[in-house]
Amino acid sequence: MGEEKSCAALGSHILLEFHSCSANLKDSAKVREILLGAAKVAHAHIVDSFFHQFNPHGVSGVIVISESHFAIHTWPEHNYAAIDLFSCSEDLLAEDAVKFLKEAFNPKTVSVLKLDRGNLPA
Amino acid sequence: MGEEKSCAALGSHILLEFHSCSANLKDSAKVREILLGAAKVAHAHIVDSFFHQFNPHGVSGVIVISESHFAIHTWPEHNYAAIDLFSCSEDLLAEDAVKFLKEAFNPKTVSVLKLDRGNLPA
């Protein structure tokens, strides 16, 4: 095999798919509390956050952190939540945040996709 | 081959990687103007937006829209921007937003990844 160039990624993006959640996905205050809790356990530095409750259902929330952002969108009618954890810092404890979110939303089915963002030549 | 179940996705997520941008990635006002412009051409319904300029460089910005969110993080020192367009509406003109963003940031290299979010059994 040929030698490969090593690359450094500027960011790491974790995309979570939570199906059949038992937690309340309708209540923006509850969803906010959970996402902020995930930011806390990840040792993220929160810059600002915004949560919006849609009528008749569904919550959208974003936390801008010094390390990039956390975002969530919920579809209570499907017990489904899409969550993004985007980080540009190796100090962010993203895995701890994932564990926390799984425990809080309690989905029966989970999909986790990890992507590098901003791959640069070494 | 066996018959596959067809699936309906709740959301569509476009992840853009813009390398070697010629636009100014340092100025949060300029980055904000461009991302809001992309939301406009996509016919998105803006709920709220937040942009933050990091010291010494870099901008993070998020627009929460009725259709989900747009987000951007810039690394001016690498002329790189990571952009996310997350939509739960077929009415959102995401391709028009991508075209607008390409023209505005003028990257030499572009990577576009489209992902379904919330695949449900039909």
Side-chain angles (χ1 to χ4, degrees), chain A residues 14-19 109-113:
Chain A
I14 299 177
L15 297 91
L16 301 171
E17 306 269 298
F18 282 5
H19 290 276
T109 311
V110 174
S111 155
V112 182
L113 178 62

Side-chain angles (χ1 to χ4, degrees), chain A residues 34-103:
Chain A
I34 294 173
L35 202 66
L36 286 171
K40 189 176 177 185
V41 301
H43 293 188
H45 297 85
I46 296 171
V47 177
D48 207 341
S49 66
F50 178 81
F51 287 78
H52 181 71
Q53 182 133 21
F54 288 97
N55 187 7
H57 39 56
V59 176
S60 281
V62 177
I63 306 174
V64 176
I65 56 179
S66 294
E67 299 84 0
S68 292
H69 76 264
F70 285 7
I72 186 167
H73 302 286
T74 73
W75 280 260
E77 69 276 31
H78 296 293
N79 297 314
Y80 166 77
I83 304 174
D84 289 77
L85 309 179
F86 191 137
S87 167
C88 63
S89 168
E90 290 180 1
D91 294 332
L92 190 94
L93 306 176
E95 294 301 333
D96 289 355
V98 171
K99 185 169 178 279
F100 178 89
L101 290 164
K102 282 182 184 174
E103 288 172 2

Side-chain angles (χ1 to χ4, degrees), chain B residues 35-95:
Chain B
L35 203 66
L36 286 171
K40 189 177 177 184
V41 301
H43 292 187
H45 297 85
I46 297 171
V47 177
D48 207 341
S49 65
F50 178 80
F51 287 79
H52 181 72
Q53 181 133 22
F54 289 97
N55 188 4
H57 41 55
V59 176
S60 280
V62 177
I63 306 176
V64 176
I65 58 179
S66 295
E67 299 84 0
S68 292
H69 77 264
F70 285 7
I72 185 166
H73 301 286
T74 74
W75 281 259
E77 68 276 32
H78 296 293
N79 297 314
Y80 167 76
I83 303 174
D84 288 77
L85 310 179
F86 191 136
S87 167
C88 62
S89 169
E90 290 180 359
D91 294 332
L92 190 95
L93 306 176
E95 293 302 332

